[in-house]
Amino acid sequence: MENFVTDRKEFENYKSKIKKLFPDYISFEKNSFNNNFKYFIAFDFDYIFEEIFFEGTISFLNKIKNGKLFFYTIDPSPEDYFFIHFNKYSVFELETNKNYNDFNSIVYKDPGVNTADAIGINSNEISCFSHSDDWAIIGSREWEISIVGFISLEMKEKFLNSFGDNSDIFTSIEQQVNILDDMLNFDNELKADYNELTENYQDRE
């Protein structure tokens, strides 16, 4: 059964990877992907925990010959919150030969004494990645958006093709913001905040 990382040295390896992917991380809307990332697509944050997202991501990892998916909770802090409360880090890896039930079990696993602390429930900002430096995901429950970054159009196409008919869950960042606006009817302040996010995640030349 999959488990959270408990070893400090192992955790530091994942933390180093996060710092490599997002070297100047401030907040979700600022776009802290490193400069190698040129292309971005968006999807609804909640899909991260759904089977169609899991299956497509595993298919993608097999296509690029990466054997593990890594899941890292940025907020609440895996150190200052999760480890202090549960003596483990809100970080785990899942081999690509595992199934959705394995994934679902750990994201909704009670880390201590309260299932409300499961990362599928109380995580606000997360990242998914693999050994490759060519792609990564960052998502925010507060903003209700997840963003996939790629270093090349080829990698972006491989990712989308891995989802087959379900690739329509992905949009441009602007389209995803418009979907949210239609549902939530942004006031002017919120509209300005999401416009900033859209500008920050424009594809780079």
Side-chain angles (χ1 to χ4, degrees), residues 111-140:
V113 296
N114 189 345
T115 54
D117 285 309
I119 58 178
I121 296 173
N122 86 335
S123 57
N124 182 44
E125 293 182 5
I126 64 92
S127 179
C128 297
F129 52 93
S130 67
H131 287 297
S132 171
D133 293 327
D134 298 344
W135 78 286
I137 294 171
I138 190 167
S140 169

Side-chain angles (χ1 to χ4, degrees), residues 76-130:
S77 167
E79 298 172 275
D80 299 333
Y81 178 81
F82 215 81
F83 189 81
I84 285 175
H85 285 86
F86 310 117
N87 204 35
K88 61 193 76 168
Y89 301 97
S90 46
V91 178
F92 67 87
E93 64 178 47
L94 198 72
E95 295 181 353
T96 55
N97 61 1
K98 300 295 185 177
N99 59 39
Y100 177 68
N101 287 336
D102 297 314
F103 174 77
N104 192 65
S105 292
I106 190 164
V107 296
Y108 291 108
K109 184 175 184 175
D110 178 358
V113 296
N114 189 345
T115 54
D117 285 309
I119 58 178
I121 296 173
N122 86 335
S123 57
N124 182 44
E125 293 182 5
I126 64 92
S127 179
C128 297
F129 52 93
S130 67

